[in-house]
Amino acid sequence: MNNDRLDAMLTRLKLTAIRDGLDTLLDEAARRDLNLREALTFLCEAEIARKDQRRVHMATSIAKFPYVRTLEGFDFQAQPSVDPKPIRELATGRWIANGDALLLLGPPGVGKTHLAVALGREAIHKGYSVLFTTATALMTTLTQAQAQGRLEERLTHYSKPKLLIVDELGYLPFESQAAHLFFQLVSRRYERGSLLITSNRSVGEGGEVFGDAVVATAILDRLLHHSHVITIRGESYRLREKRRAGLIRPASHLPGTEQAGKSNATTL
Ligand code: ADP
Ligand code: MG
């Protein structure tokens, strides 16, 4: 048989994994003594695996995660306030299919961004589009877009991904105009796509974060309607690691700091 012709046909059909690995795949099929139907299945599996890998790779670069983090890399033992069970349920992506919101709350360094990125990654593996942004970057972009008369365009951009992750909401309180812009985004995504928000503030502090109590109520109303809230407590993972390595003194020796586990203020 003419190898070039087969190569050209596989290229035309965009079956590049089969094309590039043909000799190896056929050898393997022969070694396993596969019949024609089984061999065809084996070749299709190789092609699908390559396509899935490409899709995940592409979707991951579009998502703009700040770093690579996985659920497997999350040490649940080091963070006893996080129950692995609901996290595993969230990893199935069902909450995204339902268009629910997820709030990850807690003080700095406890793993909020890590879990947000890890769940974003799981969402991509389940076939959902994801976009990661910080609250500050999001608000800067929306405010600028409004000034340039391109607000619609930007709101559409942030409404497209099935999951939008907004990291670090509440580190800086919003101006009332920014709170209004955020409200527009939340309304536009409401029941269409999921929002994952991380924050060092508690839900009760929404009024302070969004400046205006009326806008805050309207935002929280939509956010909390179909939502999952996970509150992480305890001390910063990095500090804990340093402390363990003896690089810094135990928390109890530092004046004005609470002991780990006691600083449990529910922290939007
Ligand atoms: P924050 O809650 O401020 O968003 P991060 O998620 O960025 O904190 O966590 C700070 C660093 O500590 C990151 O590098 C993260 O991967 C790591 N980290 C935090 N918690 C854990 C954990 N339980 N297991 C493994 N790494 C963790
Ligand atoms: Mg963070």
Side-chain angles (χ1 to χ4, degrees):
M1 247 199 278
N2 185 338
N3 272 342
D4 287 349
R5 198 164 150 243
L6 178 56
D7 208 88
M9 287 194 289
L10 290 170
T11 301
R12 187 170 156 197
L13 291 171
K14 299 192 171 70
L15 300 174
T16 52
I18 299 179
R19 183 197 62 198
D20 298 344
L22 193 60
D23 290 341
T24 320
L25 290 167
L26 291 181
D27 285 349
E28 178 65 17
R31 201 185 58 77
R32 290 199 215 162
D33 215 8
L34 302 183
N35 65 31
L36 275 180
R37 181 180 287 270
E38 287 165 346
L40 193 53
T41 306
F42 176 61
L43 292 176
C44 287
E45 280 167 357
E47 189 62 48
I48 285 174
R50 158 95 63 110
K51 292 220 177 349
D52 277 348
Q53 204 182 13
R54 286 239 173 105
R55 184 188 57 76
V56 165
H57 187 80
M58 181 75 86
T60 304
S61 79
I62 290 172
K64 300 202 171 61
F65 294 126
Y67 50 41
V68 179
R69 289 292 184 283
T70 61
L71 274 190
E72 297 78 50
F74 191 80
D75 180 354
F76 284 95
Q77 261 163 358
Q79 194 47 268
S81 69
V82 182
D83 182 355
K85 238 198 240 158
I87 303 290
R88 298 223 170 89
E89 166 57 31
L90 290 165
T92 65
R94 269 190 283 269
W95 66 287
I96 303 171
N98 294 338
D100 297 350
L102 170 61
L103 307 182
L104 293 176
L105 311 179
V110 294
K112 299 182 299 297
T113 305
H114 184 136
L115 284 175
V117 169
L119 288 171
R121 206 181 120 96
E122 295 294 325
I124 288 174
H125 279 271
K126 297 283 181 302
Y128 296 112
S129 52
V130 178
L131 180 63
F132 181 105
T133 179
T134 63
T136 309
L138 173 70
M139 294 330 297
T140 306
T141 309
L142 289 181
T143 308
Q144 279 174 357
Q146 189 178 39
Q148 295 163 352
R150 294 190 298 108
L151 182 60
E152 263 314 299
E153 191 187 299
R154 280 289 101 185
L155 284 173
T156 306
H157 170 78
Y158 287 116
S159 305
K160 274 193 184 143
K162 196 69 188 144
L163 171 63
L164 178 68
I165 301 175
V166 181
D167 196 27
E168 297 186 350
L169 191 76
Y171 279 90
L172 290 174
F174 287 174
E175 303 277 330
S176 106
Q177 187 210 5
H180 203 79
L181 288 172
F182 189 69
F183 169 73
Q184 287 187 56
L185 178 66
V186 170
S187 314
R188 185 151 319 195
R189 291 190 59 87
Y190 184 58
E191 285 182 342
R192 251 177 274 169
S194 287
L195 264 172
L196 191 168
I197 290 176
T198 81
S199 180
N200 62 334
R201 303 296 196 100
S202 66
V203 172
E205 289 173 317
E208 288 156 46
V209 175
F210 302 117
D212 179 316
V214 178
V215 179
T217 308
I219 292 173
L220 290 174
D221 201 51
R222 281 161 180 75
L223 279 183
L224 297 174
H225 187 210
H226 298 284
S227 70
H228 309 262
V229 181
I230 291 184
T231 303
I232 314 179
R233 303 170 204 285
E235 72 168 331
S236 156
Y237 185 80
R238 278 194 222 101
L239 285 183
R240 191 189 119 110
E241 293 295 291
K242 284 199 180 123
R243 195 166 285 137
R244 281 189 160 180
L247 291 174
I248 51 175
R249 286 190 294 169
S252 54
H253 295 174
L254 297 171
T257 37
E258 284 181 277
Q259 258 181 316
K262 278 195 185 164
S263 51
N264 276 358
T266 306
T267 68
L268 204 70

